[in-house]
């Protein structure tokens, strides 16, 4: 039987914390989606590890809480990650979203946020984990490139893919033109995948990622929007 909510049992608003290092265009796409309710929640905190990261300014202009935790001030990766985790916990987010966060995270950090830590990577994973993805796709003569949203585990860009988008590689592409085409689809698939998490459509059953109770293909669900 359905019934209304009293004021003390309103469904809580879900929220995400975003970690970034640079310009923050993916963060901005998440922010835009949150304003139209397409995200399934709000952005409650943005943390950067680099002073001057463009994403910090976007957040400040939007009135979102920010923190700068400069990794250069830390003697060890562990100490940095401990402070990072403590800062995240102040916002109690439902999901931690890496959006161009250029730091390798310690196993302790990854374990602490297990199954609630997402990343976007500009390649068709499992192809090209790591850096220079677009140049590597061009060097290999690939006909398609793309981006993948995945949960983060202890392996670099190796956690379970959630959603993947493909774009064509054009004969006259260089790394910059291909990156721009891929970035456009990044801005569409990241809000979608975050929405799936926040609205409870993703689950791990016996360690296998499911969406709407169906196993997710090994490369993630294929995004069928327009490239
Ligand atoms: C994106 O290409 C993302 O896939 C990668 O880092 C880049 C971040 O760009 N992980 P932006 O800061 O979101 O504009």
């Amino acid at each position: 039987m359905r019934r209304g909510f009293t004021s003390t049992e309103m469904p809580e608003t879900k929220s995400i914390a975003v970690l970034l290092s640079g310009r923050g265009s993916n963060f901005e796409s998440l922010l835009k989606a949150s304003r139209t309710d397409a995200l399934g929640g709000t952005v409650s905190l943005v943390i950067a590890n680099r002073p001057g990261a463009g994403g910090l300014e976007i957040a400040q202009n939007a009135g979102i809480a920010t923190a700068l935790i400069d990794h250069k001030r830390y003697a060890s990766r562990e100490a940095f990650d401990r402070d990072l985790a403590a800062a995240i916990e102040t916002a109690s987010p439902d999901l931690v979203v890496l959006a161009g966060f250029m730091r390798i995270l310690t196993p302790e950090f990854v374990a602490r946020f297990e199954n609630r830590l997402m990343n976007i990577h500009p390649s068709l994973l499992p192809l090209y984990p790591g850096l220079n993805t677009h140049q590597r796709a061009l060097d290999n003569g690939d006909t398609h490139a793309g981006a993948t949203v995945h949960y983060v585990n202890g392996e670099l860009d190796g956690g379970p893919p959630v959603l993947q988008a493909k774009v064509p590689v054009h004969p006259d592409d260089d790394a910059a033109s291909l990156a721009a085409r891929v970035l456009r689809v990044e801005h569409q698939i990241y809000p979608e995948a975050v929405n799936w998490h926040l609205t409870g459509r993703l689950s791990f059953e016996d360690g296998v990622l499911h969406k709407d109770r169906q196993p997710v293909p090994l490369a993630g669900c294929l995004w069928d929007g327009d490239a």
Side-chain angles (χ1 to χ4, degrees):
M1 187 178 75
R2 290 181 68 116
R3 61 189 178 92
F5 292 101
T6 68
S7 58
T8 52
E9 56 177 356
M10 287 290 281
E12 45 154 349
T13 305
K14 303 281 182 180
S15 78
I16 63 172
V18 177
L19 311 190
L20 51 78
S21 303
R23 71 191 156 183
S25 72
N26 273 290
F27 154 55
E28 201 167 20
S29 76
L30 295 163
L31 183 60
K32 280 191 186 140
S34 75
R35 290 179 175 141
T36 63
D37 222 20
L39 195 67
T42 61
V43 183
S44 56
L45 176 64
V46 172
I47 302 177
N49 68 313
R50 283 190 189 147
L56 276 182
E57 198 180 331
I58 298 171
Q60 283 153 1
N61 290 339
I64 292 171
T66 59
L68 169 65
I69 306 179
D70 185 348
H71 63 275
K72 292 204 176 124
R73 291 171 169 268
Y74 288 82
S76 72
R77 210 173 269 285
E78 286 71 20
F80 169 76
D81 277 11
R82 270 197 298 277
D83 274 10
L84 184 61
I88 293 168
E89 300 288 15
T90 62
S92 306
D94 297 281
L95 181 68
V96 179
V97 174
L98 307 180
F101 187 66
M102 304 303 284
R103 293 287 298 167
I104 306 244
L105 295 161
T106 55
E108 292 74 22
F109 183 96
V110 172
R112 184 161 173 171
F113 295 100
E114 190 182 12
N115 299 350
R116 51 190 187 112
L117 182 59
M118 265 187 186
N119 183 41
I120 189 160
H121 184 72
S123 80
L124 297 172
L125 288 173
L127 289 177
Y128 315 130
L131 298 173
N132 301 321
T133 55
H134 306 300
Q135 191 57 53
R136 288 155 73 194
L138 292 172
D139 291 347
N140 273 345
D142 294 354
T143 57
H144 286 84
T148 309
V149 178
H150 64 95
Y151 281 104
V152 175
N153 67 8
E155 253 174 83
L156 179 68
D157 302 319
V162 176
L163 181 57
Q164 187 165 77
K166 280 187 187 180
V167 301
V169 175
H170 296 169
D172 56 350
D173 267 334
D174 58 16
S177 63
L178 183 54
R181 192 173 310 117
V182 170
L183 193 64
R184 279 198 293 278
V185 292
E186 291 185 37
H187 295 162
Q188 303 188 53
I189 63 174
Y190 216 178
E192 182 78 8
V194 169
N195 175 292
W196 291 353
H197 178 98
L198 293 181
T199 57
R201 297 179 68 184
L202 298 173
S203 57
F204 285 90
E205 293 168 31
D206 295 328
V208 175
L209 179 61
H210 285 60
K211 174 179 170 251
D212 301 330
R213 312 310 296 261
Q214 299 299 316
V216 169
L218 279 182
C221 299
L222 186 61
W223 185 70
D224 59 6
D226 294 319

mmCIF file of all heavy atoms in Angstrom, residues 40-74:
data_model
loop_
_atom_site.group_PDB
_atom_site.id
_atom_site.type_symbol
_atom_site.label_atom_id
_atom_site.label_comp_id
_atom_site.label_asym_id
_atom_site.label_seq_id
_atom_site.Cartn_x
_atom_site.Cartn_y
_atom_site.Cartn_z
ATOM 1 N N GLY A 40 19.711 12.539 -10.018
ATOM 2 C CA GLY A 40 19.182 11.756 -8.897
ATOM 3 C C GLY A 40 19.751 12.218 -7.568
ATOM 4 O O GLY A 40 19.626 11.517 -6.556
ATOM 5 N N GLY A 41 20.372 13.388 -7.539
ATOM 6 C CA GLY A 41 20.945 13.896 -6.293
ATOM 7 C C GLY A 41 21.671 15.200 -6.542
ATOM 8 O O GLY A 41 21.573 15.786 -7.630
ATOM 9 N N THR A 42 22.413 15.633 -5.528
ATOM 10 C CA THR A 42 23.105 16.921 -5.622
ATOM 11 C C THR A 42 24.614 16.721 -5.454
ATOM 12 O O THR A 42 25.057 15.665 -5.004
ATOM 13 C CB THR A 42 22.639 17.878 -4.507
ATOM 14 O OG1 THR A 42 22.954 17.259 -3.255
ATOM 15 C CG2 THR A 42 21.150 18.138 -4.578
ATOM 16 N N VAL A 43 25.367 17.755 -5.812
ATOM 17 C CA VAL A 43 26.812 17.756 -5.554
ATOM 18 C C VAL A 43 27.016 18.504 -4.246
ATOM 19 O O VAL A 43 26.712 19.692 -4.149
ATOM 20 C CB VAL A 43 27.598 18.458 -6.673
ATOM 21 C CG1 VAL A 43 29.095 18.381 -6.396
ATOM 22 C CG2 VAL A 43 27.262 17.859 -8.035
ATOM 23 N N SER A 44 27.483 17.817 -3.213
ATOM 24 C CA SER A 44 27.582 18.492 -1.912
ATOM 25 C C SER A 44 28.987 18.982 -1.614
ATOM 26 O O SER A 44 29.173 19.824 -0.741
ATOM 27 C CB SER A 44 27.111 17.564 -0.786
ATOM 28 O OG SER A 44 27.842 16.365 -0.809
ATOM 29 N N LEU A 45 29.981 18.475 -2.340
ATOM 30 C CA LEU A 45 31.365 18.847 -2.015
ATOM 31 C C LEU A 45 32.248 18.608 -3.231
ATOM 32 O O LEU A 45 32.091 17.599 -3.924
ATOM 33 C CB LEU A 45 31.848 17.966 -0.850
ATOM 34 C CG LEU A 45 33.298 18.110 -0.401
ATOM 35 C CD1 LEU A 45 33.574 19.505 0.160
ATOM 36 C CD2 LEU A 45 33.617 17.060 0.675
ATOM 37 N N VAL A 46 33.159 19.540 -3.474
ATOM 38 C CA VAL A 46 34.171 19.368 -4.526
ATOM 39 C C VAL A 46 35.546 19.509 -3.878
ATOM 40 O O VAL A 46 35.811 20.493 -3.177
ATOM 41 C CB VAL A 46 34.001 20.407 -5.648
ATOM 42 C CG1 VAL A 46 35.168 20.345 -6.629
ATOM 43 C CG2 VAL A 46 32.685 20.172 -6.390
ATOM 44 N N ILE A 47 36.401 18.526 -4.097
ATOM 45 C CA ILE A 47 37.754 18.571 -3.532
ATOM 46 C C ILE A 47 38.756 18.522 -4.682
ATOM 47 O O ILE A 47 38.640 17.677 -5.575
ATOM 48 C CB ILE A 47 38.012 17.377 -2.587
ATOM 49 C CG1 ILE A 47 36.983 17.364 -1.452
ATOM 50 C CG2 ILE A 47 39.428 17.441 -2.013
ATOM 51 C CD1 ILE A 47 37.122 16.179 -0.498
ATOM 52 N N ALA A 48 39.730 19.420 -4.641
ATOM 53 C CA ALA A 48 40.809 19.408 -5.635
ATOM 54 C C ALA A 48 42.136 19.158 -4.932
ATOM 55 O O ALA A 48 42.309 19.518 -3.764
ATOM 56 C CB ALA A 48 40.858 20.737 -6.374
ATOM 57 N N ASN A 49 43.050 18.542 -5.651
ATOM 58 C CA ASN A 49 44.390 18.323 -5.089
ATOM 59 C C ASN A 49 45.393 19.298 -5.674
ATOM 60 O O ASN A 49 46.569 19.218 -5.343
ATOM 61 C CB ASN A 49 44.857 16.891 -5.344
ATOM 62 C CG ASN A 49 45.111 16.626 -6.814
ATOM 63 O OD1 ASN A 49 44.286 16.985 -7.646
ATOM 64 N ND2 ASN A 49 46.232 16.018 -7.143
ATOM 65 N N ARG A 50 44.915 20.176 -6.568
ATOM 66 C CA ARG A 50 45.837 21.144 -7.181
ATOM 67 C C ARG A 50 45.275 22.542 -7.030
ATOM 68 O O ARG A 50 44.138 22.796 -7.461
ATOM 69 C CB ARG A 50 45.990 20.868 -8.674
ATOM 70 C CG ARG A 50 46.877 19.704 -8.963
ATOM 71 C CD ARG A 50 47.174 19.639 -10.462
ATOM 72 N NE ARG A 50 47.848 18.395 -10.753
ATOM 73 C CZ ARG A 50 47.712 17.701 -11.881
ATOM 74 N NH1 ARG A 50 46.913 18.152 -12.833
ATOM 75 N NH2 ARG A 50 48.364 16.589 -12.058
ATOM 76 N N PRO A 51 46.077 23.463 -6.473
ATOM 77 C CA PRO A 51 45.608 24.847 -6.395
ATOM 78 C C PRO A 51 45.373 25.355 -7.815
ATOM 79 O O PRO A 51 46.095 24.979 -8.732
ATOM 80 C CB PRO A 51 46.798 25.600 -5.762
ATOM 81 C CG PRO A 51 47.796 24.571 -5.336
ATOM 82 C CD PRO A 51 47.467 23.286 -6.010
ATOM 83 N N GLY A 52 44.343 26.143 -7.999
ATOM 84 C CA GLY A 52 44.094 26.700 -9.333
ATOM 85 C C GLY A 52 43.324 25.773 -10.253
ATOM 86 O O GLY A 52 43.090 26.113 -11.420
ATOM 87 N N ALA A 53 42.923 24.602 -9.792
ATOM 88 C CA ALA A 53 42.098 23.710 -10.624
ATOM 89 C C ALA A 53 40.827 24.459 -11.025
ATOM 90 O O ALA A 53 40.130 25.009 -10.158
ATOM 91 C CB ALA A 53 41.745 22.436 -9.854
ATOM 92 N N GLY A 54 40.541 24.489 -12.328
ATOM 93 C CA GLY A 54 39.380 25.238 -12.817
ATOM 94 C C GLY A 54 38.080 24.790 -12.171
ATOM 95 O O GLY A 54 37.170 25.589 -11.939
ATOM 96 N N GLY A 55 37.989 23.505 -11.865
ATOM 97 C CA GLY A 55 36.769 22.967 -11.272
ATOM 98 C C GLY A 55 36.430 23.594 -9.933
ATOM 99 O O GLY A 55 35.258 23.682 -9.558
ATOM 100 N N LEU A 56 37.447 24.049 -9.207
ATOM 101 C CA LEU A 56 37.193 24.685 -7.898
ATOM 102 C C LEU A 56 36.410 25.985 -8.079
ATOM 103 O O LEU A 56 35.477 26.267 -7.321
ATOM 104 C CB LEU A 56 38.517 25.018 -7.211
ATOM 105 C CG LEU A 56 39.209 23.927 -6.411
ATOM 106 C CD1 LEU A 56 40.479 24.480 -5.783
ATOM 107 C CD2 LEU A 56 38.292 23.350 -5.346
ATOM 108 N N GLU A 57 36.802 26.727 -9.106
ATOM 109 C CA GLU A 57 36.135 28.007 -9.344
ATOM 110 C C GLU A 57 34.681 27.787 -9.781
ATOM 111 O O GLU A 57 33.771 28.501 -9.347
ATOM 112 C CB GLU A 57 36.910 28.775 -10.410
ATOM 113 C CG GLU A 57 36.568 30.243 -10.418
ATOM 114 C CD GLU A 57 37.344 30.981 -11.496
ATOM 115 O OE1 GLU A 57 38.471 30.555 -11.837
ATOM 116 O OE2 GLU A 57 36.790 31.964 -12.021
ATOM 117 N N ILE A 58 34.486 26.770 -10.613
ATOM 118 C CA ILE A 58 33.106 26.458 -11.043
ATOM 119 C C ILE A 58 32.252 26.153 -9.818
ATOM 120 O O ILE A 58 31.125 26.626 -9.672
ATOM 121 C CB ILE A 58 33.095 25.259 -12.016
ATOM 122 C CG1 ILE A 58 33.882 25.576 -13.287
ATOM 123 C CG2 ILE A 58 31.660 24.842 -12.354
ATOM 124 C CD1 ILE A 58 34.110 24.366 -14.206
ATOM 125 N N ALA A 59 32.814 25.369 -8.896
ATOM 126 C CA ALA A 59 32.070 24.986 -7.687
ATOM 127 C C ALA A 59 31.793 26.213 -6.820
ATOM 128 O O ALA A 59 30.671 26.395 -6.323
ATOM 129 C CB ALA A 59 32.861 23.947 -6.898
ATOM 130 N N GLN A 60 32.813 27.032 -6.629
ATOM 131 C CA GLN A 60 32.627 28.223 -5.783
ATOM 132 C C GLN A 60 31.563 29.138 -6.365
ATOM 133 O O GLN A 60 30.699 29.634 -5.642
ATOM 134 C CB GLN A 60 33.960 28.960 -5.611
ATOM 135 C CG GLN A 60 34.857 28.250 -4.604
ATOM 136 C CD GLN A 60 36.349 28.483 -4.831
ATOM 137 O OE1 GLN A 60 36.746 29.214 -5.747
ATOM 138 N NE2 GLN A 60 37.177 27.839 -4.018
ATOM 139 N N ASN A 61 31.595 29.326 -7.681
ATOM 140 C CA ASN A 61 30.577 30.177 -8.323
ATOM 141 C C ASN A 61 29.181 29.596 -8.176
ATOM 142 O O ASN A 61 28.192 30.326 -8.223
ATOM 143 C CB ASN A 61 30.900 30.378 -9.799
ATOM 144 C CG ASN A 61 32.120 31.259 -9.990
ATOM 145 O OD1 ASN A 61 32.485 32.005 -9.094
ATOM 146 N ND2 ASN A 61 32.771 31.139 -11.139
ATOM 147 N N ALA A 62 29.113 28.272 -8.015
ATOM 148 C CA ALA A 62 27.799 27.622 -7.873
ATOM 149 C C ALA A 62 27.390 27.504 -6.401
ATOM 150 O O ALA A 62 26.346 26.927 -6.084
ATOM 151 C CB ALA A 62 27.845 26.236 -8.515
ATOM 152 N N GLY A 63 28.232 28.010 -5.503
ATOM 153 C CA GLY A 63 27.891 27.963 -4.077
ATOM 154 C C GLY A 63 28.043 26.577 -3.459
ATOM 155 O O GLY A 63 27.426 26.273 -2.435
ATOM 156 N N ILE A 64 28.888 25.760 -4.063
ATOM 157 C CA ILE A 64 29.115 24.409 -3.536
ATOM 158 C C ILE A 64 30.350 24.421 -2.635
ATOM 159 O O ILE A 64 31.338 25.107 -2.939
ATOM 160 C CB ILE A 64 29.298 23.416 -4.702
ATOM 161 C CG1 ILE A 64 27.964 23.269 -5.439
ATOM 162 C CG2 ILE A 64 29.798 22.059 -4.224
ATOM 163 C CD1 ILE A 64 28.058 22.509 -6.717
ATOM 164 N N ALA A 65 30.298 23.690 -1.544
ATOM 165 C CA ALA A 65 31.441 23.622 -0.620
ATOM 166 C C ALA A 65 32.651 23.049 -1.344
ATOM 167 O O ALA A 65 32.523 22.085 -2.118
ATOM 168 C CB ALA A 65 31.082 22.746 0.576
ATOM 169 N N THR A 66 33.803 23.638 -1.112
ATOM 170 C CA THR A 66 35.025 23.147 -1.758
ATOM 171 C C THR A 66 36.119 22.946 -0.716
ATOM 172 O O THR A 66 36.090 23.540 0.363
ATOM 173 C CB THR A 66 35.579 24.160 -2.793
ATOM 174 O OG1 THR A 66 35.864 25.396 -2.130
ATOM 175 C CG2 THR A 66 34.621 24.375 -3.932
ATOM 176 N N ALA A 67 37.074 22.116 -1.081
ATOM 177 C CA ALA A 67 38.274 21.965 -0.261
ATOM 178 C C ALA A 67 39.446 21.778 -1.199
ATOM 179 O O ALA A 67 39.308 21.149 -2.256
ATOM 180 C CB ALA A 67 38.137 20.760 0.669
ATOM 181 N N LEU A 68 40.567 22.354 -0.827
ATOM 182 C CA LEU A 68 41.810 22.129 -1.566
ATOM 183 C C LEU A 68 42.715 21.322 -0.647
ATOM 184 O O LEU A 68 43.037 21.766 0.460
ATOM 185 C CB LEU A 68 42.465 23.470 -1.917
ATOM 186 C CG LEU A 68 43.889 23.355 -2.456
ATOM 187 C CD1 LEU A 68 43.916 22.617 -3.790
ATOM 188 C CD2 LEU A 68 44.514 24.742 -2.609
ATOM 189 N N ILE A 69 43.074 20.137 -1.097
ATOM 190 C CA ILE A 69 44.016 19.308 -0.331
ATOM 191 C C ILE A 69 45.196 19.052 -1.260
ATOM 192 O O ILE A 69 45.139 18.180 -2.135
ATOM 193 C CB ILE A 69 43.355 17.986 0.134
ATOM 194 C CG1 ILE A 69 42.067 18.294 0.908
ATOM 195 C CG2 ILE A 69 44.317 17.189 1.012
ATOM 196 C CD1 ILE A 69 41.325 17.066 1.403
ATOM 197 N N ASP A 70 46.205 19.861 -1.091
ATOM 198 C CA ASP A 70 47.340 19.871 -2.022
ATOM 199 C C ASP A 70 48.279 18.694 -1.701
ATOM 200 O O ASP A 70 48.920 18.678 -0.649
ATOM 201 C CB ASP A 70 48.063 21.215 -1.864
ATOM 202 C CG ASP A 70 49.186 21.371 -2.869
ATOM 203 O OD1 ASP A 70 49.554 20.379 -3.520
ATOM 204 O OD2 ASP A 70 49.706 22.491 -2.975
ATOM 205 N N HIS A 71 48.342 17.759 -2.635
ATOM 206 C CA HIS A 71 49.138 16.546 -2.338
ATOM 207 C C HIS A 71 50.615 16.864 -2.133
ATOM 208 O O HIS A 71 51.329 16.116 -1.481
ATOM 209 C CB HIS A 71 48.975 15.512 -3.463
ATOM 210 C CG HIS A 71 49.496 15.977 -4.783
ATOM 211 N ND1 HIS A 71 48.758 16.721 -5.656
ATOM 212 C CD2 HIS A 71 50.703 15.823 -5.362
ATOM 213 C CE1 HIS A 71 49.475 16.999 -6.727
ATOM 214 N NE2 HIS A 71 50.663 16.470 -6.577
ATOM 215 N N LYS A 72 51.053 18.016 -2.665
ATOM 216 C CA LYS A 72 52.482 18.353 -2.529
ATOM 217 C C LYS A 72 52.859 18.662 -1.083
ATOM 218 O O LYS A 72 54.024 18.684 -0.728
ATOM 219 C CB LYS A 72 52.807 19.558 -3.407
ATOM 220 C CG LYS A 72 52.715 19.239 -4.877
ATOM 221 C CD LYS A 72 53.563 20.191 -5.688
ATOM 222 C CE LYS A 72 53.558 19.809 -7.149
ATOM 223 N NZ LYS A 72 53.128 20.888 -7.999
ATOM 224 N N ARG A 73 51.864 18.903 -0.259
ATOM 225 C CA ARG A 73 52.148 19.220 1.139
ATOM 226 C C ARG A 73 52.268 17.966 2.001
ATOM 227 O O ARG A 73 52.429 18.053 3.213
ATOM 228 C CB ARG A 73 51.021 20.085 1.717
ATOM 229 C CG ARG A 73 51.014 21.469 1.123
ATOM 230 C CD ARG A 73 49.759 22.219 1.535
ATOM 231 N NE ARG A 73 49.891 23.623 1.185
ATOM 232 C CZ ARG A 73 50.373 24.550 2.011
ATOM 233 N NH1 ARG A 73 50.732 24.230 3.225
ATOM 234 N NH2 ARG A 73 50.478 25.800 1.619
ATOM 235 N N TYR A 74 52.129 16.814 1.376
ATOM 236 C CA TYR A 74 52.126 15.565 2.149
ATOM 237 C C TYR A 74 53.388 14.755 1.866
ATOM 238 O O TYR A 74 53.836 14.668 0.717
ATOM 239 C CB TYR A 74 50.900 14.726 1.796
ATOM 240 C CG TYR A 74 49.639 15.331 2.365
ATOM 241 C CD1 TYR A 74 48.983 16.362 1.707
ATOM 242 C CD2 TYR A 74 49.128 14.900 3.583
ATOM 243 C CE1 TYR A 74 47.848 16.956 2.234
ATOM 244 C CE2 TYR A 74 47.994 15.473 4.118
ATOM 245 C CZ TYR A 74 47.352 16.502 3.441
ATOM 246 O OH TYR A 74 46.232 17.077 3.983
#
